[in-house]
Amino acid sequence: MITIHHLENSRSLRLIWLLEELGITYDVKVYQRDPVTNLAPDAYKTLHPLGKAPVMTMDGKVLAETGAIIEFLMDLFPNAGLRPEPGAPGREKYQYWLHAAEGSLMPLLVMSLFFTRMETVPPFFIRPIIKMVTGRIRDMYLTPSTTNMIDYIEAELGQTGWFAGDRLSAADIMMSFPVEAAMSRAQLEKPYPNIQAWLDRIHERPAYKIAVEKGGEQQILS
């Protein structure tokens, strides 16, 4: 039996959604965050030394890291239609976006989140100095890098409406959290109709709606 150990309001919602798309039997165990620190509870840390979501258990195996778990599930269910076959159109893009989600886009969003907290949490008399430093980094690297990535995503989704081929794949599921976060957090200066249309499509999928019912509505930290 597969069990998803879901930390509320976390990226592990993607795995619940994927399992719903696969149509297989699984369990969900939901863990509440600490109301003060927003971190995982001690019970979650007993599952894996890092104590971070997601964690999946199956037949005595303990699996962590969303991308790794998705690859494991795609190998376990190769005929599910959620991964282009080797050599098929879209396979290279599938591989790219499966890893770009956490490797390229999420680091930019995490950096932006921490910069915002650095600018607002410290005592007021040192905030101007911190904002001067973070502002320089934003202008020189963070903002242009994030904009370039979002522009690229917009162009890619304009081709077929999906990240790998002409239908939903596990790459779309993997990209869902960082794209949601980017559209929520990034200070975008122009509309992105292809991204918005893609978000509307995934939100309307029955499997996605069931995942939200089981795991809770996702609220992007800002």
Side-chain angles (χ1 to χ4, degrees), residues 98-176:
L98 192 70
H99 294 279
E102 298 291 331
S104 295
L105 184 52
M106 274 308 301
L108 297 172
L109 301 175
V110 171
M111 185 183 298
S112 178
L113 176 63
F114 275 100
F115 278 8
T116 299
R117 292 184 176 180
M118 287 171 61
E119 293 163 352
T120 57
V121 172
F124 71 92
F125 55 86
I126 64 171
R127 288 180 191 173
I129 298 174
I130 293 176
K131 286 185 177 181
M132 181 176 65
V133 174
T134 57
R136 288 277 292 171
I137 299 173
R138 286 183 191 277
D139 292 342
M140 294 176 61
Y141 171 73
L142 187 56
T143 298
S145 295
T146 303
T147 300
N148 286 342
M149 190 67 182
I150 295 175
D151 286 346
Y152 182 40
I153 290 171
E154 173 73 6
E156 287 289 291
L157 289 175
Q159 297 181 29
T160 64
W162 302 99
F163 278 100
D166 58 0
R167 61 180 179 176
L168 177 87
S169 73
D172 294 281
I173 295 174
M174 188 68 182
M175 284 294 294
S176 61

Side-chain angles (χ1 to χ4, degrees), residues 67-108:
I69 297 172
I70 286 180
E71 289 198 293
F72 174 85
L73 290 170
M74 291 299 92
D75 288 342
L76 199 61
F77 302 99
N79 299 319
L82 291 172
R83 178 178 66 180
E85 294 294 325
R91 177 67 181 218
E92 291 81 6
K93 287 187 176 183
Y94 170 86
Q95 293 290 151
Y96 173 79
W97 290 112
L98 192 70
H99 294 279
E102 298 291 331
S104 295
L105 184 52
M106 274 308 301
L108 297 172

Side-chain angles (χ1 to χ4, degrees), residues 1-3 19-20 22-27 77 214:
M1 171 65 74
I2 292 175
T3 300
L19 291 171
E20 284 296 327
L22 290 171
I24 61 176
T25 301
Y26 67 98
D27 286 335
F77 302 99
K214 291 183 175 182

